[in-house]
Amino acid sequence: RRRLFETDQQGTTMNTQELSRSARRWVGEFLPAYAASQVAHHLTHPRRLELRDWEKTGAMAAHRVYFRFGLSGLRWGERGPIVLALHGWEGRATQFRFIAEALVRRGYRLMALDAPAHGESPGHVSHPRLFAEALIEVATEITAEAGAVDAVIGHSMGAGAAAYALSQGLSVQRAALIAGPSNFEDVVRAAVTHAGLGARATRHTLRQMQDRTGLAPASLDVAQLARHVEIPSLIVHDHDDAFVDFRHALRFMEGLPDARLHETHGLGHWRVLTDATVVERVAADSHVRYVVF
C-alpha cells in the first residue's frame, strides 16, 4: 500500500508539473506580451537569498565598505595590489571568501562588490548594464582614493559584466572570467525556454528586456565586444555547468586575444568558487602574473 501511495503521489506531481508547463505554453502562445513580462520581471528583479554558513564565516573576517551612490562591498586584506570582484545574478560579495583568503595570503587586497539590488547594496532592479556600470564606477573611485585596480574577477553575470566593462574602458592589468556568459541574448533565451514558452514570447521578452535595460540583448555579445581587450585573461569554466554552458568559455577563448583556459569537471556553476584545488592552483599561479580566477 505504501508503494502504491508513493507511486500515485509521484504521478500526481508529474501531472501537475506537466499541466503547469502546458498552461505556460498556452499563455505564451495566446498572451505572449503578458508571459514575456513575467520573464522580464524575473530577469531584472533579483531575490536576496540567505547566506550559507561558510559565507557568514568569511564575512566576519572582512571589512564592510561603502562606495558612492550607496553601493556596498567587502574588503579582505589591508595592503597590497587591489583586486576587484563581482558576483553573479542573485549572488553577493561573500561568495568570494575562499578566493579572498588565498589572495590575502599572497599579499593582495580583494574588494568584492555587491551589485545593485544585491547583498547590502540598495535597490530592487538590476541587469547586466547596471552590473557593468557599477564595476566601472567603483574601479574609478578606488583608483582615485587607494590606487589603481590591478585585476578584475567576475563570476557568472559578473564575468559577462566584467567583459563588457573592459570593452567600455575599464582599466586593469589582468582579468578573470569565471563561468560567465559570452553573450546575454543567450541568457534571455534560456530563461524563456526554462519557463516553457515559445517563439512568440521569446520575441516579446527580447523587446521588453531592451526597454527595461536600454540595451538590446543582442548588443551584449561581450565575447565580441571584448575582442580588442589585450590584457591577459583567464577563463575558468566547468564542463558540467548547468547554468552557463561550457561553449561560452570557448567563445571567450576565440574572442579574447590573450586568454588562457582553466577547465574543470564535476564542479558545476558554483563550486568553482569554493573548490580548494582550483582556488589554490590559480591564486598561486603568480609566476605568470595570474593571481585571480
Side-chain angles (χ1 to χ4, degrees):
R1 288 178 183 175
R2 188 172 183 180
R3 275 197 215 97
L4 287 172
F5 178 70
E6 288 172 348
T7 302
D8 196 41
Q9 267 197 325
Q10 184 181 28
T12 301
T13 301
M14 291 175 64
N15 288 338
T16 302
Q17 291 173 345
E18 184 55 37
L19 284 171
S20 178
R21 289 187 64 83
S22 296
R24 288 197 296 270
R25 283 195 295 269
W26 186 91
V27 173
E29 182 64 25
F30 295 100
L31 298 169
Y34 172 77
S37 70
Q38 304 303 301
V39 178
H41 181 86
H42 173 72
L43 290 173
T44 53
H45 291 76
R47 299 169 298 171
R48 296 184 192 260
L49 303 176
E50 290 292 324
L51 271 66
R52 302 173 182 89
D53 289 341
W54 64 266
E55 292 180 74
K56 294 175 183 177
T57 303
M60 289 189 292
H63 179 71
R64 175 64 62 181
V65 293
Y66 295 91
F67 303 98
R68 290 196 299 263
F69 312 113
L71 293 174
S72 183
L74 293 174
R75 186 192 73 231
W76 284 269
E78 299 296 331
R79 60 184 62 86
I82 298 171
V83 177
L84 180 60
L86 182 60
H87 57 78
W89 186 251
E90 296 183 342
R92 52 211 164 254
T94 51
Q95 292 172 330
F96 289 103
R97 171 206 168 169
F98 294 111
I99 299 171
E101 292 171 352
L103 289 171
V104 169
R105 288 195 296 269
R106 290 162 178 81
Y108 286 79
R109 284 176 287 175
L110 180 71
M111 305 280 277
L113 176 65
D114 281 332
H118 289 75
E120 299 295 321
S121 288
H124 301 286
V125 175
S126 200
H127 49 72
R129 180 173 61 80
L130 293 180
F131 267 56
E133 289 175 353
L135 262 183
I136 294 171
E137 289 169 359
V138 167
T140 300
E141 183 175 348
I142 290 173
T143 299
E145 297 185 6
V149 175
D150 190 67
V152 64
I153 306 171
H155 174 247
S156 195
M157 183 181 285
Y164 181 70
L166 289 167
S167 76
Q168 302 303 301
L170 175 65
S171 179
V172 294
Q173 297 300 308
R174 295 176 298 286
L177 310 178
I178 314 167
S182 60
N183 69 77
F184 283 104
E185 183 172 348
D186 265 18
V187 174
V188 176
R189 290 182 178 276
V192 176
T193 300
H194 181 73
L197 305 176
R200 294 187 67 195
T202 299
R203 291 192 295 271
H204 279 272
T205 305
L206 291 169
R207 284 197 294 269
Q208 290 193 28
M209 287 301 293
Q210 179 172 350
D211 292 341
R212 291 171 183 246
T213 67
L215 290 171
S219 71
L220 289 175
D221 188 339
V222 291
Q224 285 299 311
L225 290 171
R227 65 187 182 278
H228 300 303
V229 175
E230 296 184 352
I231 61 171
S233 302
L234 184 62
I235 311 301
V236 176
H237 215 114
D238 191 84
H239 281 269
D240 302 307
D241 191 323
F243 292 91
V244 181
D245 193 87
F246 185 79
R247 66 185 175 80
H248 286 278
L250 301 179
R251 289 195 74 240
F252 273 125
M253 291 299 296
E254 293 172 0
L256 292 167
D258 188 5
R260 298 186 182 192
L261 176 63
H262 182 81
E263 51 191 302
T264 61
H265 296 266
L267 297 179
H269 190 66
W270 300 105
R271 285 199 294 137
V272 287
L273 292 175
T274 63
D275 179 76
T277 301
V278 174
V279 169
E280 289 301 322
R281 177 178 176 180
V282 180
D285 203 16
S286 56
H287 63 282
V288 293
R289 296 292 288 164
Y290 286 98
V291 295
V292 297
F293 79 99

